[in-house]
Each structure stands twice: as C-alpha cells, then as structure tokens.
Amino acid sequence: RPVFVKRRYAMALQGVLERVLKMTIENIKKWGYRGSIKDYPGADPLRDVEVLRKAMKGFGTDENAIIELLGNRSRKQRVPLVAAYKTTYGKDLKHDLKSELTGNFEKLVLAMLMSQSAFDAYELREAIKGAGTDEACLIEILASRSNAEIIEINKIYKSEYGKTLEDAITSDTSGHFRRLLVSLSQGNRDERETVDIALAKQDAQKLYAAGENKVGTDESQFNAILCARSKPHLRAVFLEYQQMCGRDIEKSICREMSGNVESGMVAVVKCIKNTPAYFAERLHKAMQGAGTKDRTLIRIMVTRSEVDMLDIRQEYVRTYGKSLYTHISGDTSGDYKKLLLKLCGGND
C-alpha cells in the first residue's frame, strides 16, 4: 500500500511538473525575445558610417566589412546611419551604396537601411505598380502587421507616393479580394487578448452558415469576422468551427471560394493560426523549385529578423526536415547569401 501511494504521488507530481514546464515554455515563447538580430552593445553611428565609407572608398569595395557591420546592428541602429553619413560626409549613403553594389545584395542592403513601415509601404507600392499585381505580398504584409503598424504604413504611403494605400488597392484589385484588402488596410482589428467562448461559438456558426451550410457563399460574412475580430478570438473560432463541422476552416474556404479571394482568405487564416509557420511556408515557396523569389525572401528575412525569426526557424525545420539556414545556403550565393545568413542568425 505505501508503495502504491508513493507511486501515485510521484505520478501526480510528474503531471504537475509537466504542466508547469509547458506553461514556462509557453511564457518564454510569448514574452521572450524571438528575433535573430539584437542591438549591438555600444554601437556608435558616427563610427559605423566611417566603417561604411572606408569600405566603399578607393578601388573596389570591401563587401565583408559592410556585411559584418549591417549584419550585427538592429534596425534602430541601422536606420540612423543614413542621416549620420550625410552629416559626416555630405553625401547620400544609399546613393553611394547603389553605385558600389549590385543585384540582390544591393537590394538587401538598402532594405536593411529603411524603417519597418517605410519598407512595408515600399513593398506594397512595388506589389501594386506596373503590370501585374503581387497579391500574396499585399496579403502577407496587411495580415501580419499590428493596427499601429498599418496606420503608420498608411501615413508613409500617402506622403511618399501621393495617394492613399486604400485608393491604390481599390484601383488595382477587384471584387471580394479588394474588399478583403481594404478591410485589412484600415488597421482597425480588435486587439484585445480576452476570448469570449460564447461569441467564438456564435462566430463559428456564422461562418458555417455563410459557407458549408448554404448554397453559394456569403464572402462578406467571412470578411467581417476574419478582418475585425482579434487574433486570440479567431483562434478560438477556428477551433470551434473544426469541432462543429469536422473540417478545418481553410479546407472549407478552399471548397467554397476560388482565385485571389480564396488564397487571400486562406493566407489570413494561416497567419492568424500560427504566424511563424505561415512565414516558414512563404520562405519555403520562395526558394523551392526553379528560380528564387528574391523579393519575398529579402522582405521576410528583413522584416521578421527582429520579431519571430527563431520561431520561424523552428517551424521550418519541423515542417520541411531541413533548416532554413541550410536552404538559404543552397539556394543563394556570394555576399547576398552571407548577409541573409546573418539575418537568419544560425543553423538548427
């Protein structure tokens, strides 16, 4: 009997310890820094621009010096270099770098010298202008940024490009996909962390009634719920939906919709469900097969390196069986590869 009691006590204690460990890991993930690039201790913009100037002065360019410097500075330490360079040398840093660098390495370096919102606005502009539209880029940025970030993007877009982001989207897209993008571009999503399970069940029922449980599809109901509700609430809605009709919400969307609105809605759901997994998939698609989608690769590596790159790396190796570091190494080359690997931050 004493042995039985001890065993039962040990099992109960083990269960408690496992739950505590799980909660600890979740809290570390939730609150710990998950970026791959950190502030460099004691960085001085005046010393840094001297290094950059020396790397570009004279015959040839010291690309390694540029890689070492930019690859070891956080964005808030990199962006002021543009003003510091002009103050010190009376010249434009970006112009000098353009005259010295080429190709994807040049594009990556210039992207790293822009503020987050300025770079997002630039990428949205590139996705819209000219022949063809990069719909996946529009969704990627607008589905993954916070309200404050989207509001800042809107301000910069208007000041830099002379028209509102909403007008640019409206003139370049159509139908329910346009409505989805316009809704996301408002930066007005509920951002409360609390979840009302009763409301989650209600929203799941509304989605079921708007799609699987009717002839035709009421896309506007999907739009209203996916673009307005908070992300924690939507994760609860997706769970309730799966339990209610035995099918993931993404599969229902694919059965009910087509074209850009289908891929857009699915991307929003994936980003809300598991943001690092969504970006791991985007990176994998950018590198798999013939040719590399370098714009996508550059954008994600730059914008996520101080947000959740460590989590993206974990999801990448778990899903694809090889590390992001290894895939970048095999798919890119030269100075471009070296700087991308700095942003990646390590092998898994």
Side-chain angles (χ1 to χ4, degrees):
R1 185 181 175 89
V3 172
F4 173 75
V5 170
K6 280 183 181 177
R7 188 181 297 131
R8 193 167 63 179
Y9 175 79
M11 287 171 67
L13 182 61
Q14 184 181 352
V16 170
L17 288 172
E18 284 174 353
R19 285 197 296 276
V20 168
L21 181 61
K22 187 180 177 185
M23 285 168 63
T24 304
I25 291 168
E26 286 172 354
N27 283 332
I28 289 169
K29 280 191 173 181
K30 189 173 182 182
W31 304 114
Y33 181 71
R34 303 299 295 162
S36 53
I37 298 287
K38 297 176 182 176
D39 287 346
Y40 187 82
D44 179 353
L46 295 178
R47 278 203 309 268
D48 286 350
V49 294
E50 197 178 325
V51 171
L52 291 174
R53 176 72 176 149
K54 189 179 174 185
M56 292 184 282
K57 200 175 176 184
F59 183 74
T61 307
D62 186 352
E63 287 88 355
N64 283 330
I66 295 170
I67 292 164
E68 278 304 307
L69 187 119
L70 296 181
N72 288 292
R73 299 291 185 275
S74 65
R75 189 186 290 277
K76 74 177 183 185
Q77 293 173 326
R78 297 192 306 260
V79 173
L81 298 180
V82 177
Y85 192 88
K86 189 164 279 188
T87 301
T88 308
Y89 301 108
K91 300 186 77 182
D92 187 282
L93 174 58
K94 291 180 183 178
H95 180 271
D96 280 4
L97 286 165
K98 279 181 185 177
S99 67
E100 295 289 330
L101 311 177
T102 58
N104 289 317
F105 180 53
E106 176 197 326
K107 290 173 188 171
L108 177 55
V109 165
L110 294 175
M112 290 175 71
L113 291 169
M114 296 174 79
S115 73
Q116 173 75 47
S117 297
F119 183 49
D120 281 342
Y122 171 79
E123 285 293 290
L124 289 168
R125 164 80 168 161
E126 290 295 303
I128 290 168
K129 77 172 191 179
T133 305
D134 186 348
E135 293 88 359
C137 169
L138 299 178
I139 284 287
E140 176 200 302
I141 293 172
L142 295 175
S144 61
R145 307 308 192 244
S146 68
N147 288 346
E149 287 169 335
I150 289 172
I151 289 164
E152 185 62 22
I153 290 165
N154 274 293
K155 281 183 192 170
I156 291 171
Y157 198 98
K158 179 73 165 67
S159 66
E160 286 291 318
Y161 307 115
K163 69 191 294 189
T164 67
L165 176 58
E166 184 178 328
D167 284 345
I169 288 167
T170 302
S171 63
D172 205 63
T173 57
S174 61
H176 289 289
F177 182 63
R178 175 199 284 166
R179 293 178 197 174
L180 175 64
L181 291 173
V182 168
S183 293
L184 292 171
S185 71
Q186 301 309 299
N188 200 29
R189 182 186 292 283
D190 180 2
E191 290 188 332
R192 288 174 292 185
E193 290 295 319
T194 54
V195 176
D196 181 340
I197 296 300
L199 184 60
K201 287 178 190 280
Q202 195 178 11
D203 281 348
Q205 286 164 353
K206 283 180 182 176
L207 290 174
Y208 183 58
E212 294 276 8
N213 203 31
K214 77 187 292 285
V215 178
T217 308
D218 181 2
E219 289 92 349
S220 61
Q221 184 66 267
F222 278 82
N223 200 89
I225 291 171
L226 291 180
C227 296
R229 302 295 198 211
S230 75
K231 292 182 179 182
H233 173 84
L234 284 169
R235 285 190 279 270
V237 171
F238 301 153
L239 192 61
E240 292 292 338
Y241 186 93
Q242 205 277 333
Q243 290 171 349
M244 183 188 304
C245 72
R247 187 175 285 123
D248 285 341
I249 186 77
E250 300 102 298
K251 287 181 181 169
S252 288
I253 289 169
C254 291
R255 282 161 59 96
E256 294 293 317
M257 302 178 199
S258 61
N260 288 332
V261 71
E262 176 200 335
S263 54
M265 293 271 188
V266 167
V268 170
V269 169
K270 284 181 176 180
C271 190
I272 288 166
K273 267 190 173 182
N274 186 336
T275 305
Y278 166 73
F279 279 109
E281 183 183 354
R282 292 277 295 146
L283 285 167
H284 189 255
K285 283 182 177 175
M287 291 187 285
Q288 72 175 351
T292 304
K293 293 175 183 170
D294 292 291
R295 268 197 59 215
T296 303
L297 181 57
I298 290 168
R299 183 176 60 252
I300 296 174
M301 295 305 294
V302 171
T303 59
R304 307 313 290 187
S305 61
E306 294 179 49
V307 182
D308 53 2
M309 185 56 70
L310 302 186
D311 295 324
I312 291 168
R313 279 165 39 183
Q314 284 182 1
E315 292 291 344
Y316 201 96
V317 75
R318 184 182 64 80
T319 307
Y320 303 109
K322 71 173 177 179
S323 71
L324 176 59
Y325 192 97
T326 301
H327 203 159
I328 290 170
S329 296
D331 209 65
T332 59
S333 62
D335 299 315
Y336 176 48
K337 175 173 86 172
K338 289 177 190 174
L339 190 49
L340 282 173
L341 293 178
K342 286 275 190 186
L343 291 171
C344 186
N347 209 343
D348 297 295

